[in-house]
Amino acid sequence: MNARTEPSEAEQSATARPPLVRELLLVVGLFLVYKFGRQLVTGHTTEAYRNAGRVWDWERTLRLPGEGSVQSLLLHGDTLAHLANTYYATVHFPATVAFLVWLYLKRPAHYVWARRVLALLTGAALVLHLVFPLAPPRMLAAAGLIDTAKVYGPSVYGPPQTDTLSNQFAAMPSLHFGWALMVAIGLIVATRSRWRWLWLLHPLVTLVVIVGTANHYWMDALVAAALLGIALAVVHLPHRTATTAGRAQEKLAPAETEENVLVGAGR
């Protein structure tokens, strides 16, 4: 019986992997839509600074720790600040791409789930960028923080007035943190190693980096986590749907057979 079911399971695993070209076009298309969509709020400078003051006041009302306490840890030496800036500039996107590629090759069903979650999270983030433009804390005088990327390097941003490659007034939510948290959750769910929980270090380090470099407020990360939670609730895990149902049927089959045998014996 097992010998008969193994080929069918292998075939299902093979057919579960979406076409590569389609996935490449889809992922690149989603990224371009988000990238260009962020540019729609580039000119809302006054509103972005006003919202920054509001977020700063909200954090103080909620008694959240000051972002300066984290930045002071990075300013003990030039090397630590430089490493934090490098992490911010180079890890975010490549880590997410590597995560999706690995899932596509090794866990196709989990890949589809993760891609949908990331797409929903990114789409929700784009909407929030449009309705709530926000200047990062490094631009807010009341925060008293420095732009570590500008002082210690490397920096991925140019002067806000002339930067046409990115929108620096789209701090909330932090997709640096949202994507990092999804990478950790996805790898924990898709793997079985006892060391898989160490993947949580990625969003933890990312959180320290984005706050310490003054690129994001605490609330940017909190909102990203909340949006990710909603996306995870909407997009179901693969093993909670088809796989779970299949296993349930396999468990019920022997019981039904045994029941039929007992009924027949009674006759």
Side-chain angles (χ1 to χ4, degrees):
M1 182 176 180
N2 291 336
R4 292 180 180 179
T5 57
E6 286 178 0
S8 62
E9 290 175 357
E11 291 174 1
Q12 290 176 3
S13 177
T15 56
R17 184 176 292 110
L20 178 59
V21 175
R22 189 193 73 180
E23 288 304 305
L24 288 175
L25 293 175
L26 179 61
V27 172
V28 171
L30 288 173
F31 175 76
L32 291 177
V33 168
Y34 171 74
K35 195 69 174 176
F36 289 116
R38 283 167 57 105
Q39 299 299 321
L40 297 177
V41 295
T42 302
H44 297 183
T45 305
T46 303
E47 186 178 358
Y49 279 104
R50 183 166 54 247
N51 289 335
R54 291 172 179 170
V55 170
W56 185 258
D57 292 338
W58 293 341
E59 289 189 343
R60 306 294 75 80
T61 301
L62 295 173
R63 298 186 181 277
L64 294 177
E67 286 80 357
S69 61
V70 179
Q71 185 171 89
S72 63
L73 297 176
L74 301 181
L75 298 181
H76 283 301
D78 296 356
T79 301
L80 196 56
H82 181 79
L83 287 175
N85 295 327
T86 302
Y87 193 94
Y88 181 87
T90 62
V91 174
H92 166 59
F93 189 71
T96 308
V97 171
F99 163 69
L100 290 174
V101 170
W102 185 85
L103 285 183
Y104 181 84
L105 296 175
K106 300 295 185 180
R107 304 288 191 275
H110 285 86
Y111 162 78
V112 174
W113 163 71
R115 187 249 290 152
R116 290 173 178 171
V117 171
L118 284 172
L120 187 58
L121 169 63
T122 306
L126 176 58
V127 173
L128 193 53
H129 292 333
L130 296 175
V131 300
F132 194 79
L134 180 65
R138 56 187 166 82
M139 296 183 183
L140 183 64
L145 302 174
I146 68 171
D147 187 346
T148 60
K150 183 178 180 180
V151 175
Y152 300 98
S155 177
V156 295
Y157 302 120
Q161 299 80 5
T162 59
D163 188 359
T164 59
L165 297 178
S166 60
N167 175 22
Q168 299 186 45
F169 299 106
M172 181 181 290
S174 169
L175 283 183
H176 268 76
F177 181 75
W179 285 11
L181 185 58
M182 181 55 201
V183 168
I185 292 175
L187 290 173
I188 290 172
V189 169
T191 59
R192 290 295 176 265
S193 170
R194 63 179 179 176
W195 302 102
R196 67 188 186 278
W197 296 99
L198 291 177
W199 286 111
L200 290 173
L201 290 174
H202 177 42
L204 179 60
V205 172
T206 300
L207 179 60
V208 172
V209 166
I210 63 174
V211 173
T213 57
N215 282 295
H216 287 284
Y217 306 88
W218 291 112
M219 290 194 69
D220 298 340
L222 292 175
V223 172
L227 292 177
L228 177 59
I230 295 173
L232 289 170
V234 172
V235 183
H236 296 293
L237 276 167
H239 69 267
R240 289 182 180 176
T241 54
T243 304
T244 304
R247 290 178 180 174
Q249 292 177 357
E250 290 176 3
K251 291 180 179 179
L252 289 174
E256 293 174 356
T257 304
E258 182 179 355
E259 182 180 354
N260 292 335
V261 171
L262 291 175
V263 172
R267 294 178 182 174

